[in-house]
Amino acid sequence: MSLGIQRVSDGVTGEYAPAPADHPFLRPAGKGLAGIDLLGDVERREQAAMIHAGDLLSVHSWELVTAVDGPGTRMTTFLSGCPLACLYCHNPDTMDMRRGNLVPTTELCKRILRYKRIFKRTGGGITISGGEPLMQPRGLAKLLAFAKENGIHTAIDTSGFLGWRCTDDMLKNLDLVLLDIKSGMQETYRKTTKAELAPTLDFAKRLGDEGVPVWARFVLVPGLTDAPENIEEVARIASTIPSLERVEVLPFHQMGRDKWDSLGLPYALEDTQPPTAAEAEAARAIFRARGLETY
Ligand code: SF4
């Protein structure tokens, strides 16, 4: 999810280097990971099949962060591809899976292991974000299973829109879900994301029923999501999740504007100002009034 959290990276970030040209997942040799559009139909179909099987992932980037995306120091990996089209998306370049770098799932697993000691020392782990991580459910399932086998805390950051793709096994391998509730009112949800709210509600219920810890996230956008009745409805939804641990209210800001421009995409929030500190606190108060731990 590209929610516009003011992130302070631990200074370790990156794109994935292309896999070795002779890697069995990549054909024809030497085309490079970003060269998917240069491939012929046969190769493209093969790569799509590998993504489908979870052996290859389309990845935007990754970074080590502390105090966001879950407890401790996290290796947050942003997968490419998203079924929503949020007006406030701060990384619109993650929306299209074809823009990502193709990375063998085993490569990601190796990198996860590299930070195992840091995770242990800080109580951290991995967070798979996006885009929408459930766009690539089999690869995601492999990453979660691998992390759990190695005693590493796992989280995903999701809108829940594709929650039906999250299998029961994946749920068992999840220590935390960062659930982005983009609006409580259907009409506002549709205006904000161009999609329906119902799948998020279904997934929230399932997470609650299964006792998967949830941190709910809500982006406060003046003139879009900030109507008190909308915030009230998000708070009501959050309060129905028995496994909810906290709510994070994220004030909208304009740091993503340039990306929309550089992609040549129309940016609907050009004139929208960030909420004031008082407005953000007033929104948080609506959640706290329901007894929810809110940041
Ligand atoms: S759900 Fe998709 S479109 Fe919305 S903010 Fe996240 S990445 Fe962007």
Side-chain angles (χ1 to χ4, degrees):
M1 299 291 101
S2 299
L3 299 179
I5 294 171
Q6 312 245 17
R7 315 173 68 85
V8 179
S9 150
D10 289 6
V12 186
T13 64
E15 305 286 327
Y16 273 84
D22 59 352
H23 194 289
F25 286 149
L26 297 171
R27 279 188 271 167
K31 282 287 185 184
L33 296 174
I36 187 166
D37 285 337
L38 303 177
L39 302 180
D41 284 349
V42 173
E43 290 80 13
R44 203 176 292 136
R45 270 203 302 275
E46 282 181 9
Q47 291 194 334
M50 285 181 240
I51 292 174
H52 185 69
D55 295 328
L56 204 55
L57 285 156
S58 177
V59 180
H60 175 271
S61 58
W62 61 275
E63 63 183 355
L64 274 195
V65 287
T66 302
V68 288
D69 300 336
T73 295
R74 319 286 309 172
M75 175 183 158
T76 298
T77 302
F78 300 92
L79 301 185
S80 291
C82 186
L84 305 189
C86 302
L87 298 184
Y88 57 65
C89 185
H90 283 70
N91 278 319
D93 50 337
T94 63
M95 288 182 191
D96 187 342
M97 203 191 286
R98 290 170 302 182
R99 287 205 187 94
N101 287 326
L102 296 179
V103 180
T105 308
T106 49
E107 243 357 90
L108 263 162
C109 290
K110 272 192 224 157
R111 185 169 294 279
I112 289 169
L113 267 194
R114 202 178 298 172
Y115 300 116
K116 187 174 170 178
R117 247 185 286 166
I118 297 180
F119 298 150
K120 195 157 184 208
R121 202 171 59 235
T122 63
I126 62 164
T127 299
I128 312 298
S129 183
E132 166 55 60
L134 286 162
M135 282 287 281
Q136 302 179 68
R138 294 214 169 101
L140 173 62
K142 289 186 180 183
L143 291 178
L144 297 177
F146 177 82
K148 289 312 291 174
E149 277 162 20
N150 285 280
I152 295 169
H153 183 276
T154 59
I156 59 170
D157 181 11
T158 176
S159 70
F161 185 74
L162 297 177
W164 55 275
R165 288 185 170 179
C166 188
T167 63
D168 290 343
D169 280 346
M170 285 160 81
L171 278 191
K172 281 191 199 112
N173 286 331
L174 269 171
D175 294 312
L176 176 67
V177 171
L178 308 175
L179 183 65
D180 306 305
I181 306 175
K182 290 158 187 298
S183 161
M185 296 169 70
Q186 171 59 57
E187 204 177 306
T188 308
Y189 196 95
R190 203 178 292 129
K191 192 172 167 195
T192 304
T193 68
K194 313 264 195 313
E196 304 298 312
L197 170 62
T200 300
L201 301 182
D202 292 345
F203 192 51
K205 177 163 187 336
R206 198 164 150 226
L207 294 173
D209 290 348
E210 297 298 324
V212 180
V214 172
W215 292 8
R217 288 172 150 181
F218 169 66
V219 182
L220 183 68
V221 189
L224 183 64
T225 66
D226 66 339
E229 58 272 30
N230 187 51
I231 303 171
E232 180 60 53
E233 199 50 21
V234 177
R236 188 197 61 75
I237 293 165
S239 70
T240 64
I241 307 172
S243 52
L244 184 86
E245 293 186 345
R246 64 161 72 179
V247 176
E248 296 180 343
V249 174
L250 309 171
F252 165 80
H253 60 70
Q254 283 286 9
M255 280 164 60
R257 178 195 289 158
D258 291 351
K259 285 204 174 177
W260 287 82
D261 291 346
S262 65
L263 292 168
L265 297 171
Y267 180 51
L269 302 183
E270 191 70 48
D271 300 322
T272 301
Q273 297 299 314
T276 63
E279 287 165 343
E281 273 312 298
R284 291 186 180 106
I286 293 176
F287 289 92
R288 289 184 185 127
R290 287 185 174 265
L292 305 177
E293 187 175 329
T294 305
Y295 296 90

